[in-house]
Amino acid sequence: MAKKRQILVIGHNTKGCLPKHEKIAYEIGAEIAKSDSVLICGGLGGVMIAAAHGAKDAGGLTIGIIPQNDPAEANEYCDIVIPTGMGLARDFLNALSADGVIIVGGGSGTLSETCAAYMHKKPMVAIRNLDSSVDPFIGGYLDHRENIKIVGVDTPQEAIKKILELISP
C-alpha cells in the first residue's frame, strides 16, 4: 500500500476566524478527503476545526498535532491526536509532517508555520484576499533564498488541485 498524501491546513485559530474562513476551511477539508489524502491540522479551533469537520463529513482521516500535552484538548473531529506538550514549537512538527500546505488566513502563528514549511521547501498554496499575515507573500517568496513560492488561489477547489499538482511526483 502506497503512503497517503498528507496535507496540512493552517490559518486563524478561534480568535480572528470569521465565518468566511470557516466555510473555506470546511470545503478544503472535504476536498482533501475526496482526494484520498490525510488532513493534518493543529487540532484546535477556528480554521483547524472547520477543516477537520469538512474532512470527517467527507469520510476522510484527520490528524491533529496539538501544542498541549492532554489529547482531550483536541477538537472532536481529530481521528488521531498527537499531543506534543511543546507549545508553539509544534508548528515545526506540523510543517514537517506535511507533503504540502494550504493556508486559509491567519496571524502570527500561521506565519510561523508558513516559515517552518518554507525553510523545509514544502509546497504551499494560500487562499487570496483573506487579510492574513501571509497575504504580502502570496505569489512570491518569504525571503531572498527563494526556497518555495507561495502560490495564490481563489477557491478551495483550486487549492486542492494546485497542491496536488505541486506534491505529485
Side-chain angles (χ1 to χ4, degrees), residues 4 18 28 35 48 51-52 56 69-71 79 123 136 148 167-168:
K4 287 190 175 249
L18 303 173
I28 287 171
S35 77
M48 297 170 277
K56 287 305 298 171
N69 60 4
D70 180 359
D79 293 311
I148 192 105
I167 64 178
S168 295

Side-chain angles (χ1 to χ4, degrees), residues 4 32-33 37-40 55-56 59-63 79-80:
K4 287 190 175 249
I32 289 171
S37 301
V38 175
L39 176 121
I40 299 173
K56 287 305 298 171
L61 178 66
T62 62
I63 299 173
D79 293 311
I80 298 167

Side-chain angles (χ1 to χ4, degrees), residues 108-130:
S108 60
T110 302
L111 187 57
S112 170
E113 284 174 298
T114 302
C115 289
Y118 180 82
M119 292 303 295
H120 293 279
K121 300 179 181 172
K122 299 290 181 169
M124 288 184 276
V125 171
I127 303 290
R128 290 187 191 96
N129 302 315
L130 292 181

Side-chain angles (χ1 to χ4, degrees), residues 105-111 131-137:
S108 60
T110 302
L111 187 57
D131 193 28
S132 81
S133 60
V134 178
D135 281 357
F137 306 105

Side-chain angles (χ1 to χ4, degrees), residues 51-76:
H53 188 180
K56 287 305 298 171
D57 282 356
L61 178 66
T62 62
I63 299 173
I65 303 174
I66 64 171
Q68 298 89 345
N69 60 4
D70 180 359
E73 301 273 345
N75 73 60
E76 65 266 30

Side-chain angles (χ1 to χ4, degrees), residues 3 7 9 13 21 26 38 44 50 53 56 74 107 119 143 145 161 163:
K3 174 193 167 294
I7 300 173
V9 177
N13 198 342
H21 300 117
Y26 179 91
V38 175
L44 302 176
H53 188 180
K56 287 305 298 171
M119 292 303 295
D143 69 12
R145 286 174 271 235
K161 182 178 182 211
I163 202 68

